[in-house]
Amino acid sequence: MMRDVYSVKRLVGELRDALETRYGEIWVEGEISNLSEPRSGHKYFSLVDDDAALRCALFSNRLRQCANAPADGMQALLRGRISVYATRGDLQLIVDHLEDAGEGALRREFERLKRQLSAEGLFADRHKQPLPACPGSIGVISSPSGAALHDIRVTLKRRYRLARLVVYPASVQGERAADELIDMLDIANRRRDAEVLIVARGGGSLEDLQAFNDERVARAIFASQLPVVSAIGHEVDFTIADLVADRRAPTPTAAAEMVAPELAQLQTDIDRQAGRLRDGVQRAIDDLRLKLDYTAARLAHPRDRLQLAEQSRRALAGELLHLINDRLGRHRQLVRQQAAELRYHSPQAALAHNRQDLAATRHRLTAAAAARLKAARHVLDHLASELHLMSPAHTLERGYAILHDERREVVTDADKTRKGQILTARVARGRFLCVVEGRVEE
């Protein structure tokens, strides 16, 4: 029996092919250790967890496409393919993509939830509520000890002291943050002691802002009957809450400026409008005075106005009587013309004429039918005569007979009869039997 002996190259090659075919592109998570950075620009390191280690290679052309660079101790999420380095026979992961494990998972969840809520229409402009122009009370949902609330207080004090500030305290980071934000949104909508809400916190990492990427918080903001302004993080930070809110401010200070008009500008606008109102009222008073003077100048004595009114009444009454008589005359003439036309077009005359036409038509129809019937009878008699001449009965009347055998078939050939055969003879009037005695020679 022959032995199949592998060479090292063959064995390593088949192992590499099997691994690459079996696993293809995979994701692996672990801690980076033993990072090596040669002058070639490639990165070599081990990915370890509690019980195992895997050699990894991240080549320079792929490194330039990664958002994160590998570092010792980093918890990383890698994408790549399993292979075998033939020169040393080492199992290794050829890395195509590297990202921080915690940041990457949060980023993928952020993108997934963003796509889902966008498809449901939670970000659509048609659902955005307008902000009140001059709110009497402004609610802030934020940490009571945070810098965001301080910035909002300072901005409102500077711009718009007329508004009452209502603080709804809530954690803005940590495990309880999402639940507390939802509770404060519910309380604010039930109490209605604020006309607009600001949801605010300072900047932070994606993990720090996780409460504002919570689906439940997003749906609570969307369901709010009070308009909501989001002021989460700094200008570069973006959360799901920013997308679903009615307005998004880059900073808490900008949110305060967005909901509160500047008092000095309001005073300037009020003074301008008051001046326009005074000018308008004065112009209206001047116009009314002119109209009053004009009317007073045209106002006549009541006796003179009564005389003029009486003259007008008499003139109008005469014109009205003339119009009535003229219209009555035209109507009488019209009635006489229509009566004459009605007599001319009387249905009795038309009925009599139609009766005459009907009688003449009936006479012509009767004569035509009789002529057609006579012609048809003549044709029928001629055809019956010709049919009789061609009828077998006519032939029989001249002394001929038709013979039938026992199968009721007509006998036309004497050679097909036999002696003693009984035939049926049909003559012009009746039938009789005959017996064949023999054939007669021609």
Side-chain angles (χ1 to χ4, degrees):
M1 182 177 183
M2 295 186 63
R3 297 178 180 176
D4 185 11
V5 180
Y6 280 76
S7 67
V8 176
K9 180 178 180 180
R10 176 188 169 195
L11 178 58
V12 172
E14 290 190 7
L15 287 173
R16 180 185 60 218
D17 293 342
L19 287 170
E20 290 179 355
T21 303
R22 168 67 177 80
Y23 290 99
E25 186 178 78
I26 60 173
W27 289 86
V28 186
E29 183 177 348
E31 181 182 334
I32 293 177
S33 176
N34 299 322
L35 177 64
S36 173
E37 304 177 85
R39 296 180 63 183
S40 63
H42 307 322
K43 306 289 184 182
Y44 300 99
F45 54 89
S46 296
L47 193 67
V48 301
D49 56 19
D50 295 338
D51 302 313
L54 175 65
R55 293 294 300 167
C56 301
L58 176 58
F59 299 120
S60 58
N61 61 331
R62 292 291 184 179
L63 178 62
R64 289 190 293 269
Q65 301 174 11
C66 295
N68 304 92
D72 279 324
M74 176 183 180
Q75 190 72 18
L77 182 65
L78 309 180
R79 185 189 68 208
R81 53 186 176 83
I82 289 291
S83 185
V84 175
Y85 182 44
T87 303
R88 293 198 300 266
D90 288 344
L91 177 71
Q92 63 179 359
L93 178 70
I94 308 300
V95 180
D96 293 331
H97 175 77
L98 180 148
E99 62 184 44
D100 184 279
E103 186 81 8
L106 292 177
R107 178 61 60 186
R108 288 193 300 276
E109 175 59 20
F110 173 85
E111 294 298 334
R112 183 202 65 78
L113 182 59
K114 179 181 174 182
R115 289 192 300 270
Q116 174 189 332
L117 298 184
S118 177
E120 294 181 22
L122 268 68
F123 306 155
D125 290 339
R126 65 179 182 275
H127 297 308
K128 305 298 184 185
Q129 302 182 71
L131 303 182
C134 298
S137 56
I138 300 171
V140 179
I141 301 177
S142 186
S143 171
S145 59
L149 179 59
H150 173 73
D151 293 345
I152 292 173
R153 286 184 187 276
V154 171
T155 303
L156 293 180
K157 185 177 181 180
R158 171 175 53 85
R159 288 174 59 90
Y160 190 63
R161 296 188 181 187
L162 299 179
R164 181 170 62 94
L165 183 63
V166 182
V167 179
Y168 301 95
S171 301
V172 292
Q173 183 174 339
E175 295 181 357
R176 289 288 305 162
D179 292 333
E180 292 183 13
L181 290 170
I182 294 170
D183 291 341
M184 290 301 104
L185 282 165
D186 179 63
I187 290 172
N189 276 272
R190 283 190 289 105
R191 289 182 180 175
R192 294 300 181 96
D193 45 8
E195 298 177 32
V196 62
L197 296 176
I198 299 176
V199 180
R201 70 148 286 158
S205 65
L206 186 60
E207 185 175 1
D208 295 338
L209 301 177
Q210 187 57 26
F212 299 93
N213 290 322
D214 189 288
E215 181 177 355
R216 297 172 301 147
V217 173
R219 295 191 183 278
I221 293 175
F222 181 77
S224 174
Q225 297 180 0
L226 297 174
V228 177
V229 177
S230 67
I232 302 162
H234 300 301
E235 188 167 359
V236 295
D237 298 323
F238 230 98
T239 66
I240 297 295
D242 291 320
L243 297 172
V244 76
D246 297 298
R247 295 285 294 276
R248 188 248 176 183
T251 63
T253 298
E257 294 175 348
M258 187 178 293
V259 301
E262 190 171 7
L263 193 59
Q265 183 62 44
L266 279 179
Q267 186 62 52
T268 301
D269 293 341
I270 291 173
D271 292 342
R272 185 183 302 111
Q273 294 294 337
R276 291 177 179 174
L277 182 61
R278 284 194 298 271
D279 293 342
V281 170
Q282 187 60 50
R283 284 195 298 271
I285 292 174
D286 294 341
D287 290 343
L288 289 174
R289 282 176 177 168
L290 288 174
K291 290 180 180 179
L292 180 62
D293 295 341
Y294 178 73
T295 304
R298 295 182 58 198
L299 188 63
H301 194 278
R303 181 180 59 255
D304 298 335
R305 293 178 63 85
L306 286 175
Q307 290 177 353
L308 290 174
E310 178 63 20
Q311 292 175 1
S312 298
R313 184 192 67 78
R314 290 177 180 176
L316 290 174
E319 291 180 4
L320 180 60
L321 182 61
H322 175 74
L323 289 173
I324 291 175
N325 292 332
D326 182 64
R327 179 159 297 186
L328 282 176
R330 289 200 302 270
H331 279 291
R332 288 192 184 101
Q333 180 65 27
L334 181 61
V335 168
R336 286 193 293 269
Q337 292 176 357
Q338 291 176 346
E341 291 180 2
L342 185 61
R343 286 192 298 271
Y344 177 76
H345 296 291
S346 172
Q348 292 180 350
L351 184 60
H353 179 72
N354 290 339
R355 282 174 179 166
Q356 293 176 1
D357 290 345
L358 180 61
T361 303
R362 183 183 293 112
H363 177 71
R364 290 194 300 271
L365 182 60
T366 302
R372 290 289 298 273
L373 183 59
K374 182 177 179 181
R377 282 175 178 168
H378 178 72
V379 172
L380 180 61
D381 292 343
H382 177 71
L383 293 176
S385 176
E386 291 183 352
L387 181 62
H388 180 68
L389 292 176
M390 292 186 290
S391 170
H394 180 69
T395 303
L396 293 177
E397 288 178 354
R398 293 179 8 223
Y400 290 94
I402 300 174
L403 298 179
H404 294 85
D405 60 14
E406 58 273 12
R407 293 190 303 274
R408 301 185 62 82
E409 294 181 358
V410 177
V411 179
T412 60
D413 190 349
D415 291 338
K416 293 182 180 181
T417 62
R418 64 184 182 279
K419 186 176 181 180
Q421 184 179 8
I422 298 175
L423 302 177
T424 303
R426 178 181 177 184
V427 294
R429 286 176 290 279
R431 299 178 184 180
F432 59 85
L433 300 176
C434 59
V435 179
V436 178
E437 295 291 340
R439 291 182 296 170
V440 177
E441 297 296 336
E442 294 292 337

